[in-house]
Amino acid sequence: MVDAILLNASNEKIFIASAFFSNSDIIKSFINKNCFIQLVIRLNKGTSASELEKLIPFMEAHQIEIRFFSDEHFHPKFYIFGNKSAFIGSSNLTHRGISENQEMNIQIEDSNSINELKEVFNSYWSQAKILTNEDIKKFKEISKTIKNDNEEKDSQNIKDAIGDVRYSNHNYDNEDFMFYC
């Protein structure tokens, strides 16, 4: 997957929705290819606070904007590269998700389908909370307490520290392509 997405990343606006995030290197690669990124993630045990910290200079330079949900039901995985291509599948924005695991992704190049997927992304974007440096600090602190033996408790601790940011489900459909959120 990493080769395919890097091939599509050059002078593009990239939209990514991923439940888990722990790969700042791929974001840096996109930025080095003169891309601007809008990223929606979920703050949870699958997201790395230290990897988010590495993106602060790029956030401050306005090369990436990040928003988040803390609700455990936010679980998409898609990547949109401008108007030319999108990938939908099982790959989270983690090193394993895009480089190591056996994942399944589909590349879409149909402009109508890409536009429909952008509508879904825009709905996520409008409902997600802007990730601030302070949120990253709080998330880093609470991440130290995550034990992975009680996901419900860990999730509640994150919500208590950063806020309960939920996505309000909608259905998107047209006669050519259907998305269910």
Side-chain angles (χ1 to χ4, degrees), residues 42-178:
R42 186 172 99 211
L43 297 184
N44 59 50
K45 68 179 185 174
T47 295
S48 167
S50 60
E51 289 296 300
L52 285 172
E53 274 186 320
K54 293 177 184 178
L55 297 180
I56 290 173
F58 302 104
M59 293 166 62
E60 291 172 347
H62 305 287
Q63 295 169 300
I64 183 171
E65 293 177 354
I66 306 173
R67 295 188 181 189
F68 72 91
F69 292 99
S70 57
D71 179 38
E72 56 274 4
H73 300 291
F74 183 76
H75 204 73
K77 297 150 190 80
F78 63 82
Y79 306 75
I80 306 169
F81 297 87
N83 294 316
K84 69 178 182 181
S85 183
F87 293 85
I88 301 174
S90 61
S91 295
N92 280 299
L93 189 52
T94 63
H95 178 71
R96 286 185 178 155
I98 61 171
S99 299
E100 293 179 7
N101 290 350
Q102 179 62 44
E103 303 282 356
M104 180 63 66
N105 297 282
I106 297 171
Q107 183 173 7
I108 299 168
E109 295 179 335
D110 172 70
S111 62
N112 290 332
S113 297
I114 291 169
N115 288 333
E116 186 77 13
L117 191 57
K118 281 183 181 179
E119 286 182 34
V120 175
F121 180 87
N122 288 333
S123 178
Y124 292 158
W125 189 256
S126 69
Q127 293 186 47
K129 182 180 175 194
I130 295 170
L131 185 69
T132 65
N133 294 352
E134 186 62 31
D135 292 326
I136 294 171
K137 288 177 191 174
K138 288 179 185 177
F139 181 60
K140 187 171 186 176
E141 282 303 310
I142 199 70
S143 293
K144 295 175 186 175
T145 68
I146 293 176
K147 299 189 177 18
N148 295 321
D149 61 343
N150 187 338
E151 187 170 350
E152 190 174 310
K153 182 180 178 192
D154 292 338
S155 180
Q156 188 59 52
N157 289 340
I158 291 168
K159 290 175 189 174
D160 290 345
I162 301 168
D164 188 358
V165 186
R166 296 176 176 266
Y167 178 69
S168 173
N169 282 327
H170 299 284
N171 287 334
Y172 297 87
D173 63 349
N174 67 30
E175 59 193 48
D176 299 321
F177 207 87
M178 217 176 256

Side-chain angles (χ1 to χ4, degrees), residues 10-64:
S10 182
N11 299 308
E12 291 292 344
K13 186 169 185 182
I14 302 174
F15 309 90
I16 303 170
S18 178
F20 303 149
F21 171 79
S22 64
N23 191 334
S24 63
D25 289 338
I26 195 71
I27 297 295
K28 291 174 189 175
S29 294
F30 292 156
I31 290 169
N32 288 337
K33 291 175 154 269
N34 199 36
C35 295
F36 172 77
I37 302 108
Q38 286 185 303
L39 173 63
V40 180
I41 59 172
R42 186 172 99 211
L43 297 184
N44 59 50
K45 68 179 185 174
T47 295
S48 167
S50 60
E51 289 296 300
L52 285 172
E53 274 186 320
K54 293 177 184 178
L55 297 180
I56 290 173
F58 302 104
M59 293 166 62
E60 291 172 347
H62 305 287
Q63 295 169 300
I64 183 171

